[in-house]
Amino acid sequence: MNLTINNIPNYNNTNFKAKIIYKSVKNVPTVCACCGEKMILPEKMRQAYATISKPLSKVVQKGYLDFYKQYAQIWSVIQDLIKKYPTQTLDRILDNEEEYILLRDAVTKTFASTKGDSTAFARRKIDTEYNKLLVQNRSQLRTAPVVMRRFKLFKNSLSGQRLQAFEQFEIYASKYPRKSLSEIVQMDEIYKFHKAKDILQKSQEREKINYRFDNILKLIKKHSPENEDYFYELKEQALDILYNGAEDGAIRKEMLLDLYKMALKEKDCSKIEKKVLNELKDLPTTIQTMDSFFATAHEQNYSDSQIVASILNPSLSTFEHIIPVSKGGKDSIYNGIILCQECNRKRGNLPYTSYIKYHPEMKRNTQRQINQICNFIIDGKLSLDSYKYYPIKIAETLENYSEGVINVNVDKYIEKALKSAKERYRANESQISEITDTEKELRKKIAALESKIRQGKKAAEALADENHKEYSFMAYLNGKKNSK
């Protein structure tokens, strides 16, 4: 199976499903190469959805897929699937390779770009539209207790506010066993409770933030009073970065540190730099809370699938292009590592030389991931020929694109792979030798048999000649007898 996609695949190819989702890559149970956290495998997630989604016929009946009525090919396939599988979920139906290709082909013919788009861009557009269809299909899930039990196997991949939200839903599922997740977040008493807590906690976080900046202003007033107004204005700029800056909290924090380092140097306040930076390092990276999620889910009327996706999808295993496609990177297995969806989104197309500055832990965690993949290859769990070269080629890609910042060591893999290759080579040589010896013996036996066959032919010919003579003699005698 070729995992390098240079063209939009042939949708009648029986290996198509495995090709387009990089199945062997994203479903390797490794840690995220950036944050080092456990990830949720896409195939496991899909299997979970297959058991807790509503049947496709009911989803259509409820109007969740009405958007696709305007696309004749897609809508025709959906109607055909309902007739063939009236009680099954779409995720379960798509376990059938033939049905998967049929729907995917309809999405492709509807949404595939024409002139002007690169093949990689066209494929990603198709992927996006296909995933939208799946998300819409999952809008209404089964009751909260069923959903929470089914997704509990992913709990160990969660942390922080997302883990808190998951545990809170477990409590609500037990308390309201007949309700769905979306029905729970729409309950007035739950909304008012979380909204009040959210306002209170955000207020407390803002007080902590103001306390830290006030401490900085006190230090300035004490050691450099002439710059007090300047640093007061700087505080407003810093607050704007903290509340409205980059989505990545680590980047926001680093931007604040850089801003104050430059200001302290410019105003000749290096004596208090350490104390000022310590105050900034204690700032929270976000004022969003678990209660913020519940309040937002109510206000924006989240569906069941949106609630689940908000909690679980950030931990989903995704294929990260080392050299972004937008910057000339190939859509190839040798240009990719595995990041959780959250880290993949945060990185965007930022060069690693810059990104590592905010996430130095990536150096260590990338090595951990490559080590795990190496073990999978050595143990034969990734048997594709492409993977034999993956660790070496990916190490080269990372080192070159990061300008040596990420230097993955694959020496042990090379040693083990070389040893394994030598053993296979010797085993094959031995087998070839045995086959050759067997061939020689067979040739000898064949030669002996051919010789016996030739001798037998001669004997048979001699007997036949003798028999002919006897027959002629008998005929002669019978003739004589009859003449008398």
Side-chain angles (χ1 to χ4, degrees):
M1 182 175 64
N2 178 17
L3 293 180
T4 302
I5 305 175
N6 295 319
N7 301 103
I8 297 176
N10 173 6
Y11 293 92
N12 294 318
N13 189 319
T14 54
N15 288 328
F16 168 71
K17 184 175 181 180
K19 283 184 179 181
I20 63 101
I21 62 170
Y22 295 96
K23 186 174 180 179
S24 297
V25 189
K26 293 198 297 187
N27 285 288
V28 175
T30 64
V31 296
C32 173
C34 180
C35 66
E37 296 292 329
K38 290 182 179 178
M39 294 180 289
I40 298 172
L41 305 184
E43 189 65 17
K44 295 290 184 184
M45 178 76 91
R46 192 202 59 76
Q47 290 169 5
Y49 270 118
T51 60
I52 50 88
S53 297
K54 294 289 183 72
L56 178 60
S57 56
K58 289 189 177 181
V59 173
V60 170
Q61 191 178 10
K62 289 281 186 179
Y64 288 111
L65 297 180
D66 281 357
F67 171 79
Y68 295 97
K69 286 182 178 179
Q70 61 185 305
Y71 303 115
Q73 285 184 310
I74 296 175
W75 191 248
S76 175
V77 171
I78 290 172
Q79 294 300 312
D80 288 344
L81 293 177
I82 289 173
K83 289 176 184 176
K84 289 175 71 175
Y85 310 97
T87 62
Q88 289 194 28
T89 67
L90 181 59
D91 286 287
R92 186 76 78 192
I93 292 168
L94 296 178
D95 278 336
N96 184 315
E97 186 91 0
E98 184 180 343
E99 310 299 3
Y100 175 89
I101 293 172
L102 193 67
L103 181 60
R104 184 75 188 216
D105 190 39
V107 173
T108 300
K109 289 175 180 176
T110 302
F111 293 107
S113 302
T114 52
K115 297 178 181 178
D117 289 334
S118 67
T119 302
F121 179 83
R123 186 188 66 78
R124 288 201 305 279
K125 185 176 180 181
I126 295 164
D127 287 349
T128 299
E129 296 298 338
Y130 178 77
N131 288 329
K132 281 181 184 177
L133 172 58
L134 291 184
V135 170
Q136 283 298 105
N137 164 71
R138 297 164 179 167
S139 293
Q140 190 180 38
L141 304 175
R142 299 186 186 277
T143 58
V146 175
V147 173
M148 298 313 294
R149 281 197 301 272
R150 188 67 184 89
F151 283 116
K152 193 169 185 177
L153 75 157
F154 303 131
K155 190 175 178 179
N156 65 351
S157 297
L158 305 178
S159 60
Q161 294 171 14
R162 292 189 293 115
L163 177 59
Q164 293 171 12
F166 189 93
E167 291 174 338
Q168 187 64 62
F169 271 117
E170 286 183 313
I171 294 169
Y172 286 146
S174 177
K175 192 174 180 180
Y176 307 105
R178 294 182 179 276
K179 292 186 178 295
S180 67
L181 298 179
S182 56
E183 288 172 337
I184 288 172
V185 298
Q186 288 304 316
M187 294 172 66
D188 283 343
E189 60 268 35
I190 288 178
Y191 171 63
K192 289 175 182 177
F193 172 72
H194 286 291
K195 186 65 176 178
K197 279 187 68 180
D198 181 41
I199 292 170
L200 178 62
Q201 290 178 63
K202 282 181 177 177
S203 176
Q204 290 173 340
E205 288 300 315
R206 286 192 174 96
E207 285 182 8
K208 291 178 184 177
I209 290 169
N210 284 325
Y211 172 74
R212 294 296 175 190
F213 280 111
D214 287 345
N215 285 346
I216 292 173
L217 289 173
K218 287 177 183 177
L219 286 167
I220 296 297
K221 187 175 181 178
K222 181 178 178 181
H223 295 279
S224 184
E226 68 277 11
N227 292 314
E228 187 177 356
D229 290 341
Y230 174 83
F231 278 93
Y232 185 83
E233 291 177 4
L234 194 68
K235 173 189 171 182
E236 297 304 313
Q237 187 179 344
L239 287 173
D240 185 55
I241 292 173
L242 192 62
Y243 295 143
N244 306 311
E247 183 181 1
D248 192 334
I251 293 178
R252 290 200 304 273
K253 184 73 76 73
E254 194 66 31
M255 287 174 68
L256 285 178
L257 292 172
D258 288 344
L259 181 68
Y260 272 84
K261 283 177 184 176
M262 289 176 62
L264 291 167
K265 185 177 181 181
E266 183 183 335
K267 299 300 179 181
D268 197 23
C269 298
S270 55
K271 290 181 180 180
I272 59 171
E273 180 179 340
K274 186 176 180 180
K275 290 182 179 180
V276 170
L277 296 183
N278 283 339
E279 294 288 347
L280 292 172
K281 287 175 183 176
D282 288 335
L283 288 173
T285 56
T286 179
I287 61 171
Q288 298 297 315
T289 67
M290 179 267 288
D291 298 289
S292 303
F293 168 73
F294 277 88
T296 302
H298 176 94
E299 292 162 359
Q300 297 188 12
N301 196 25
Y302 278 10
S303 66
D304 292 342
S305 61
Q306 284 176 307
I307 291 170
V308 172
S310 297
I311 296 172
L312 297 181
N313 279 16
S315 295
L316 201 62
S317 172
T318 64
F319 187 83
E320 147 83 350
H321 292 87
I322 296 169
I323 305 172
V325 175
S326 61
K327 296 187 176 180
K330 292 183 179 179
D331 205 8
S332 158
I333 189 176
Y334 300 133
N335 183 38
I337 51 176
I338 312 303
L339 298 187
C340 68
Q341 191 179 91
E342 187 170 21
C343 288
N344 201 337
R345 186 182 68 252
K346 287 178 179 177
R347 188 254 164 151
N349 61 1
L350 198 67
Y352 281 142
T353 47
S354 302
Y355 189 71
I356 296 298
K357 178 182 178 182
Y358 311 120
H359 294 280
E361 70 278 8
M362 188 173 183
K363 298 179 188 178
R364 178 183 69 254
N365 292 326
T366 301
Q367 182 70 62
R368 286 177 63 199
Q369 181 180 110
I370 300 304
N371 287 347
Q372 289 175 324
I373 292 177
C374 286
N375 290 335
F376 266 74
I377 298 168
I378 293 295
D379 294 341
K381 295 176 183 177
L382 285 173
S383 56
L384 298 172
D385 284 340
S386 316
Y387 273 97
K388 294 177 183 178
Y389 306 97
Y390 175 79
I392 301 165
K393 288 181 177 286
I394 214 67
E396 291 173 353
T397 306
L398 284 166
E399 184 177 5
N400 292 337
Y401 185 67
S402 70
E403 297 178 7
V405 175
I406 303 179
N407 190 2
V408 177
N409 189 330
V410 291
D411 289 349
K412 288 184 179 179
Y413 169 75
I414 292 172
E415 289 176 11
K416 289 181 180 179
L418 187 60
K419 181 180 178 182
S420 178
K422 284 179 179 178
E423 288 173 357
R424 288 195 300 272
Y425 177 78
R426 284 194 290 267
N428 288 342
E429 265 199 330
S430 175
Q431 195 172 359
I432 290 168
S433 178
E434 288 176 8
I435 291 171
T436 303
D437 291 342
T438 303
E439 182 188 12
K440 288 177 181 177
E441 288 296 321
L442 286 172
R443 287 187 183 282
K444 286 180 181 178
K445 289 180 180 179
I446 289 169
L449 285 171
E450 286 177 342
S451 176
K452 287 182 178 180
I453 289 169
R454 284 194 297 272
Q455 291 174 7
K457 279 183 178 179
K458 287 179 180 179
E461 287 171 356
L463 286 170
D465 186 55
E466 184 68 28
N467 199 35
H468 177 69
K469 290 177 182 178
E470 290 295 329
Y471 177 79
S472 298
F473 182 63
M474 285 173 60
Y476 172 75
L477 291 176
N478 282 330
K480 286 289 184 183
K481 183 178 177 181
N482 291 333
S483 66
K484 291 181 177 181

